[in-house]
């Protein structure tokens, strides 16, 4: 007897607006990435975070930077009207392998088109083969490699010393045709989600 394909969970996305939501995004950053890979307070001021939600609970986040791109000549951002740069996608380990990053990219491509942006850019480590495969799947192209020099940590930051990192910069021009939002894709969630803010989901505890 043929087994029915297990339906993947459907994610929604919420722009971080309140102070409580900012704290959730920071907690997710620490849960999804290892020190010294966390975003510093200085980094956060440049990004517009979005929470990745399953049934109202935050299980991941994405950090976007609007009208900006990363220079291929040096580790610096420069104004780039019409470009959305996403610095990272973080999924809590318990929820990885369920297609949430793919759902986010589908949503981001359509959301960017609706906002009349012309390009999406991002980066990933040279050795991050899974991220590279995901970006290629969504027709991002490799435009060059940059050596990233993380800022020196301070006693207040709590960050460890990080070695230089070789990263690949990717770009995807946005055509007029949109990617259909299927039952496995994502939609925006205009309401304030339950379980976000003052209380974190079980996946973030411990």
């Amino acid at each position: 007897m043929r087994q029915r394909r297990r339906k993947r969970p459907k994610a929604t996305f919420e722009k971080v607006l309140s102070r409580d939501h900012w704290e959730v995004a920071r907690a997710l950053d620490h849960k999804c990435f290892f020190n010294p890979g966390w975003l510093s307070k200085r980094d956060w001021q440049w990004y517009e975070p979005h929470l990745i939600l399953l049934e109202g609970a935050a299980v991941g986040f994405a950090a976007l930077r609007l009208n900006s791109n990363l220079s291929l000549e040096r580790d610096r951002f420069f104004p780039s009207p019409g470009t959305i740069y996403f610095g990272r996608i973080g999924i809590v380990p318990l929820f990885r392998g369920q297609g949430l990053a793919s759902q986010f990219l589908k949503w981001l491509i359509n959301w960017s088109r609706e906002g009349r942006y012309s390009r999406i850019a991002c980066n990933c480590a040279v050795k991050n083969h899974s991220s590279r495969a995901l970006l290629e799947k969504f027709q991002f192209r490799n435009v060059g490699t940059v050596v990233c020099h993380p800022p020196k940590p301070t006693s207040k930051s709590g960050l460890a010393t990080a070695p230089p990192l070789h990263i690949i910069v990717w770009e995807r021009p946005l055509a007029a045709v949109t990617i259909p939002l299927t039952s496995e894709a994502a939609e925006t969630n205009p309401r304030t989600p339950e379980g976000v803010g003052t209380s974190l989901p079980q996946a973030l505890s411990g």
Side-chain angles (χ1 to χ4, degrees):
M1 185 176 180
R2 187 177 181 181
Q3 294 182 346
R4 296 182 61 182
R5 183 180 178 183
R6 184 178 179 181
K7 188 176 181 180
R8 289 189 169 184
K10 184 178 180 181
T12 55
F13 305 98
E14 178 89 5
K15 180 180 176 180
V16 169
L17 297 174
S18 70
R19 182 182 297 273
D20 287 341
H21 284 198
W22 273 99
E23 293 303 320
V24 173
R26 291 191 184 99
L28 285 164
D29 187 33
H30 286 216
K31 191 71 176 180
C32 297
F33 299 96
F34 294 104
N35 181 358
W38 302 334
L39 289 174
S40 67
K41 289 185 178 180
R42 182 181 178 183
D43 294 329
W44 277 108
Q45 68 179 327
W46 299 108
Y47 287 99
E48 182 179 282
H50 284 67
L51 297 179
I52 300 174
L53 310 168
L54 281 181
E55 298 181 353
V59 298
F61 80 104
L64 308 180
R65 189 163 175 157
L66 308 184
N67 296 305
S68 184
N69 205 348
L70 184 64
S71 172
L72 291 175
E73 298 179 358
R74 55 180 180 171
D75 180 22
R76 293 287 187 277
F77 283 93
F78 65 94
S80 179
T83 299
I84 291 183
Y85 183 93
F86 68 92
R88 62 177 60 196
I89 302 175
I91 307 294
V92 173
L94 181 63
F95 293 92
R96 290 173 184 169
Q98 301 184 41
L100 298 180
S102 292
Q103 291 187 43
F104 173 77
L105 286 176
K106 289 179 182 179
W107 171 81
L108 178 62
I109 290 169
N110 285 316
W111 182 79
S112 300
R113 287 198 182 105
E114 290 173 2
R116 299 186 181 277
Y117 288 91
S118 58
R119 182 192 300 110
I120 300 174
C122 64
N123 74 72
C124 74
V126 171
K127 296 182 180 180
N128 192 338
H129 300 292
S130 59
S131 292
R132 293 174 63 173
L134 178 64
L135 293 171
E136 290 171 354
K137 173 184 175 182
F138 281 89
Q139 301 173 17
F140 282 78
R141 60 186 181 91
N142 180 342
V143 296
T145 303
V146 176
V147 180
C148 178
H149 296 276
K152 294 182 179 180
T154 64
S155 57
K156 294 182 179 180
S157 69
L159 301 179
T161 302
L165 178 67
H166 289 76
I167 61 174
I168 301 173
V169 179
W170 301 78
E171 290 185 357
R172 186 194 194 284
L174 296 175
V177 180
T178 60
I179 297 177
L181 290 175
T182 65
S183 59
E184 294 185 0
E187 300 172 353
T188 54
N189 186 2
R191 66 182 179 83
T192 301
E194 299 175 0
V196 174
T198 55
S199 61
L200 299 179
Q202 185 176 0
L204 291 181
S205 62

